[in-house]
Amino acid sequence: LAKTTQPISMDSYEGQEVNITCSHNNIATNDYITWYQQFPSQGPRFIIQGYKTKVTNEVASLFIPADRKSSTLSLPRVSLSDTAVYYCLVGALSGNTGKLIFGQGTTLQVKP
Amino acid sequence: GAVVSQHPSRVICKSGTSVKIECRSLDFQATTMFWYRQFPKQSLMLMATSNEGSKATYEQGVEKDKFLINHASLTLSTLTVTSAHPEDSSFYICSARDRGSLQPQHFGDGTRLSIL
């Protein structure tokens, strides 16, 4: 399974755009990139998923370069409630396997 | 959207007790579910893969006789912590994915297990 590397922590202020980059040099051809958000004492919550180029939904954008060895989660105009741990994971989605191995994640602290 | 329900959300019990945690996919069928454990200030650690109708696959270092997993239907997997001791106290989280589709895994809200 591809290993991911993220910054351990990041600070931001309300209203700013936050970009969290994840490195996954050994990503396999059939691996997708998925980002989750976790608040204390809760399970991870799905944010966004992609395979290549750019994906955007109502809460975030995901940028994936052509070589797919990294990805960047972009959170527009963060608020205090976005303070959480963000995990980048890679894994296959096809078939009935697709286990995900969590890295250390990025703790985002949003300040007023 | 897809929802995974976990029950109970919190358990406090005496040492030596066996505790069962349920994980249900509410609006989809999941051939495979996953069980994780998370200690304070740490990331999630995959314990085992629960396979419907067959034996679970345990990660290295996880005792299969300690953590019994049963996946009897396409919407329910259970994790039983047998003869629990204080060192088993942790946050247990399950996840599931809609089978046969390119959907992401969805996680339950976790079970806080405290062994006295």
Side-chain angles (χ1 to χ4, degrees):
Chain A
L1 294 174
K3 181 180 178 180
T4 60
T5 303
Q6 306 171 231
I8 292 176
S9 64
M10 294 182 68
D11 288 340
S12 182
Y13 290 92
E14 282 190 292
Q16 289 188 331
E17 177 184 80
V18 171
N19 297 308
I20 306 175
T21 297
C22 177
S23 173
H24 28 79
N25 292 316
N26 297 322
I27 189 170
T29 302
N30 59 345
D31 282 345
Y32 280 70
I33 301 157
T34 312
W35 285 79
Y36 290 89
Q37 174 193 56
Q38 186 182 29
F39 297 111
S41 296
Q42 294 186 25
R45 187 178 72 174
F46 170 78
I47 301 174
I48 198 166
Q49 176 179 284
Y51 184 81
K52 61 180 179 180
T53 62
K54 178 183 175 182
V55 180
T56 298
N57 61 23
E58 62 276 8
V59 298
S61 295
L62 178 60
F63 298 91
I64 306 169
D67 66 5
R68 305 202 324 125
K69 292 183 182 299
S70 66
S71 60
T72 299
L73 173 72
S74 181
L75 305 172
R77 296 184 299 280
V78 294
S79 63
L80 295 176
S81 62
D82 293 317
T83 293
V85 180
Y86 292 81
Y87 293 99
C88 159
L89 296 105
V90 294
L93 296 185
S94 60
N96 293 319
T97 54
K99 68 180 182 181
L100 299 176
I101 304 299
F102 280 74
Q104 61 188 7
T106 298
T107 299
L108 172 65
Q109 179 71 49
V110 180
K111 303 175 181 178
Chain B
V3 177
V4 174
S5 175
Q6 211 172 319
H7 179 80
S9 58
R10 186 174 182 92
V11 181
I12 302 173
C13 57
K14 294 180 179 180
S15 183
T17 307
S18 292
V19 179
K20 179 185 286 187
I21 303 169
E22 293 186 349
C23 180
R24 296 180 183 273
S25 55
L26 297 184
D27 54 359
F28 64 96
Q29 293 183 328
T31 309
T32 305
M33 294 184 176
F34 304 90
W35 287 96
Y36 296 81
R37 180 167 55 179
Q38 185 175 33
F39 292 108
K41 305 290 185 183
Q42 294 186 23
S43 183
L44 284 76
M45 184 189 77
L46 180 65
M47 298 175 66
T49 302
S50 173
N51 304 300
E52 187 268 334
S54 64
K55 292 181 179 180
T57 305
Y58 291 83
E59 295 299 304
Q60 189 173 8
V62 178
E63 301 175 57
K64 62 180 181 180
D65 295 330
K66 175 74 171 177
F67 300 99
L68 301 179
I69 292 173
N70 183 276
H71 193 155
S73 76
L74 289 172
T75 59
L76 174 64
S77 174
T78 61
L79 168 70
T80 301
V81 183
T82 61
S83 187
H85 292 285
E87 59 266 28
D88 298 320
S89 297
S90 188
F91 192 51
Y92 292 85
I93 307 170
C94 71
S95 71
R97 183 169 58 83
D98 193 344
R99 68 170 182 171
S101 70
L102 297 180
Q103 294 296 317
Q105 284 188 32
H106 291 275
F107 289 79
D109 272 337
T111 297
R112 175 74 58 191
L113 176 61
S114 300
I115 308 298
L116 305 177

